[in-house]
Amino acid sequence: MNIKKRILKTVGAMSLVLLGVLVSCSDNFLIDSNVKDLTQDIVFTSDETAIAVVTGVYDAFQNDSQGDPGLPNEYNVKGIHRWANSTTLDFLNNENPASSEYLNWNPDPSSNDVATKIWPNNYRQIGRANIALENLRIAVDNGDISTDIGNRLIGEVLVLRCISYQYLAEVYGGVPLMLSPSDDPFKARDTQDAVFQQIVTDATEAIDRLPWTYDVEKGRVSKAAAYYVLGNAHMWLKQYGEAVTAFEALEGSPVLDLEDNFLDIHAVANPNGKESIFEIQWAANADLSWSRNDEVNILQLFAMPTDITGGGGFTGIPTKALYDAYEAGDTRRAATVIGPGEEHTDPLIDIIDYDGVDINTCGTVAEPWTGGSPDTRSGYWAIKSWRDPNIEGWGRSVLFGGQGHIWFRYGGALLSLAEAAFRDGQIAKAQAAFDRVRNRAWGGMAPAKTVDIDGILQEYRLELAGEFSTWGVIRRSGEAAKFIMDNYGVAIPTGREIYPIPSTEISANPNLMQNDY
């Protein structure tokens, strides 16, 4: 899923999938350059164009900039990333804590970034996936595309749909299961369990269709991604033995492993590294016009200190409480949070090299960098998304970059294995997976710690902070209220672990019941 843009225009039935969609592809990925009269019959009678259609399904996840017309933009940064991190209370945004929708568990269904961005963007992806699946199955059955390619593409699309439904259910609870282009658009909500059971069905089918790895197009869904979403779904369904089996199956991958050095996971020179299970790909060196729709990564600009960039600082701002939660000797802190007076831990970045900066540290202890907003910014800044030395800041030449967003990775999967095994009574197996994550964090041998649920939740927090799944695994555990109380002394109001459905969706579909807000 390397990002080279071609506009694939369609007519007739295919317009629902590809009209106005920018399809991501490598230089030779879309071989048929004559797309003037591209129809459904043509698209699904060619391996090359069928692959391009599926690449368009991936494209629905890449909405970090302007977005498609009629859809909210900045889905990854202000939607998924804020949900995963601000909901834990470990990350702040550019808002006053006294009135923060996140800190006060009161998101507005008409304007909150998480509530309003995640629903429409994922249902866009599901709509594309459903049309692609229906036509791919017909094309394979009819022999119109090669069996190997067709089966693989079906597996890819099944997992992509699983990922959308996983995020929808984790954010909102039960949502309508739309599994066919002909499904009623005014369908009522299915239960959360029904959504995860469908993920089990789809991921199980996809596993046999997918390879472990790709020689090129590294961002495509692999067998490992299918096992990951399968294990996660079993966890939500409290089928812990089945979850253990799914997560242990990841050991069968010939390429998947922990990075030796935690800092290397998010290195800009390590895209789709050996620990990455599913990673969103971005264009590098994109243009700067605000009319663009070129799928650029804007997270680093939004998360870097405003004292450097002159703007941004909208998301991904860790708290001192998160910084202090790391034990002495845990290398993950220096690769996750930079505090006042500290140098950047990435060897590619010297803070003093930025224009207008005359120190090589993130502010000083006496004068922390808060961008002039000490009530909304802590003086602590995120490292995982601040790894590209070429990104300079607002009003300068380079705003955006190509660093991937790792949505699922092996370190998180090992902690899920530890949790599943612990809940299934397989304590030795749980301890082994737990220790493996902690030992890497210490660069060898971590202080001994007996595995239990509270310890696993803390490891999720410290391992996955600043990434894209933290709140999902915390809520999945059933211990979210205790977790927030233990770490922040805040009581979550009943039912507020999930977000409200966007007001626009409630208005459009009279059969949707709003969450209790």
Side-chain angles (χ1 to χ4, degrees):
M1 200 174 58
N2 297 323
I3 311 300
K4 303 289 185 184
K5 298 298 178 185
R6 306 281 173 86
I7 299 178
L8 190 59
K9 298 180 180 179
T10 67
V11 296
M14 281 307 298
S15 64
L16 291 175
V17 181
L18 297 174
L19 183 59
V21 174
L22 288 167
V23 177
S24 308
C25 49
S26 64
D27 288 329
N28 61 356
F29 201 52
L30 184 56
I31 295 174
D32 184 358
S33 61
N34 179 12
V35 297
K36 180 179 178 182
D37 296 311
L38 194 62
T39 67
Q40 179 173 328
D41 291 338
I42 295 173
V43 166
F44 291 101
T45 54
S46 159
D47 285 357
E48 290 78 13
T49 50
I51 290 171
V53 170
V54 173
T55 307
V57 181
Y58 285 90
D59 183 82
F61 286 137
Q62 295 164 314
N63 184 8
D64 227 14
S65 179
Q66 289 298 297
D68 287 345
L71 285 167
N73 62 0
E74 299 168 355
Y75 158 70
N76 291 279
V77 166
K78 292 185 178 179
I80 296 292
H81 191 272
R82 278 193 178 173
W83 162 78
N85 296 286
S86 295
T87 317
T88 67
L89 306 191
D90 278 333
F91 282 71
L92 303 174
N93 300 301
N94 59 332
E95 56 189 1
N96 191 315
S99 59
S100 168
E101 294 178 285
Y102 301 96
L103 300 181
N104 293 288
W105 301 93
N106 191 35
D108 187 332
S110 66
S111 61
N112 177 268
D113 283 320
V114 173
T116 60
K117 295 178 187 298
I118 292 177
W119 183 287
N121 278 288
N122 278 288
Y123 272 110
R124 170 184 63 164
Q125 192 274 350
I126 289 166
R128 294 183 187 180
N130 286 342
I131 295 176
L133 280 172
E134 182 176 89
N135 287 281
L136 285 167
R137 293 187 192 279
I138 293 171
V140 171
D141 289 344
N142 291 344
D144 294 330
I145 60 177
S146 63
T147 301
D148 288 348
I149 292 294
N151 283 333
R152 192 202 83 195
L153 293 176
I154 289 170
E156 290 182 53
V157 177
L158 283 169
V159 174
L160 293 173
R161 188 171 71 177
C162 285
I163 292 170
S164 274
Y165 274 124
Q166 173 180 317
Y167 275 119
L168 284 167
E170 289 180 348
V171 173
Y172 304 103
V175 298
L177 276 168
M178 311 294 289
L179 304 175
S180 166
S182 60
D183 281 352
D184 182 2
F186 299 107
K187 194 174 185 289
R189 298 171 69 177
D190 290 281
T191 67
Q192 179 177 286
D193 279 358
V195 175
F196 284 110
Q197 187 56 59
Q198 184 63 46
I199 292 174
V200 168
T201 299
D202 287 350
T204 300
E205 177 184 349
I207 284 168
D208 290 335
R209 296 177 180 270
L210 291 168
W212 280 111
T213 188
Y214 296 82
D215 292 333
V216 294
E217 299 293 319
K218 295 294 186 180
R220 288 192 176 275
V221 163
S222 68
K223 195 183 294 286
Y227 274 122
Y228 180 93
V229 297
L230 176 63
N232 183 65
H234 280 309
M235 291 288 284
W236 278 98
L237 295 168
K238 298 180 170 55
Q239 298 167 346
Y240 298 118
E242 292 89 339
V244 168
T245 300
F247 288 124
E248 282 191 314
L250 294 173
E251 296 291 340
S253 169
V255 295
L256 192 64
D257 202 354
L258 291 179
E259 296 284 355
D260 295 330
N261 184 345
F262 191 86
L263 188 66
D264 290 342
I265 297 170
H266 298 280
V268 72
N270 187 32
N272 305 297
K274 65 181 180 179
E275 189 160 341
S276 177
I277 293 175
F278 183 68
E279 183 168 339
I280 304 299
Q281 316 293 297
W282 300 107
N285 303 318
D287 72 81
L288 302 182
S289 67
W290 288 110
S291 61
R292 69 190 177 278
N293 189 346
D294 50 9
E295 319 299 6
V296 291
N297 176 3
I298 60 176
L299 179 57
Q300 177 163 325
L301 175 68
F302 276 26
M304 282 174 64
T306 54
D307 308 74
I308 293 174
T309 65
F314 300 135
T315 190
I317 305 169
T319 63
K320 185 177 186 298
L322 174 63
Y323 180 92
D324 291 343
Y326 289 92
E327 300 172 63
D330 188 339
T331 64
R332 293 175 298 190
R333 184 176 74 181
T336 304
V337 185
I338 186 171
E342 294 182 344
E343 295 186 12
H344 201 293
T345 49
D346 192 314
L348 297 180
I349 295 179
D350 285 312
I351 294 174
I352 199 169
D353 290 341
Y354 291 101
D355 289 344
V357 177
D358 59 3
I359 57 176
N360 200 37
T361 58
C362 187
T364 66
V365 175
E367 296 184 3
W369 277 356
T370 62
S373 304
D375 290 336
T376 62
R377 299 185 177 100
S378 63
Y380 294 80
W381 299 87
I383 291 291
K384 290 177 180 177
S385 54
W386 177 13
R387 301 296 298 272
D388 188 342
N390 297 309
I391 296 177
E392 300 171 321
W394 298 89
R396 299 167 188 167
S397 60
V398 183
L399 289 174
F400 312 111
Q403 181 182 352
H405 289 175
I406 303 175
W407 279 9
F408 313 140
R409 64 177 174 84
Y410 191 46
L414 282 174
L415 289 176
S416 290
L417 171 60
E419 182 185 353
F422 184 85
R423 293 184 185 278
D424 197 50
Q426 303 181 56
I427 306 304
K429 188 173 290 185
Q431 187 72 58
F434 185 73
D435 288 346
R436 190 173 172 192
V437 173
R438 283 177 53 81
N439 287 342
R440 191 269 298 274
W442 265 260
M445 185 65 67
K449 188 173 183 179
T450 301
V451 66
D452 61 17
I453 294 302
D454 286 346
I456 291 169
L457 294 185
Q458 279 300 314
E459 289 303 312
Y460 281 136
R461 179 192 189 194
L462 303 176
E463 178 79 13
L464 300 175
E467 299 184 30
F468 294 85
S469 58
T470 321
W471 184 247
V473 292
I474 298 298
R475 187 171 93 78
R476 186 189 70 189
S477 73
E479 304 286 340
K482 182 178 185 298
F483 173 86
I484 294 296
M485 178 58 71
D486 287 349
N487 288 289
Y488 282 95
V490 174
I492 302 177
T494 303
R496 297 299 176 88
E497 296 173 10
I498 57 177
Y499 279 75
I501 295 172
S503 299
T504 52
E505 305 299 331
I506 295 291
S507 298
N509 181 357
N511 295 313
L512 285 179
M513 297 293 293
Q514 180 60 279
N515 288 324
D516 185 15
Y517 268 82

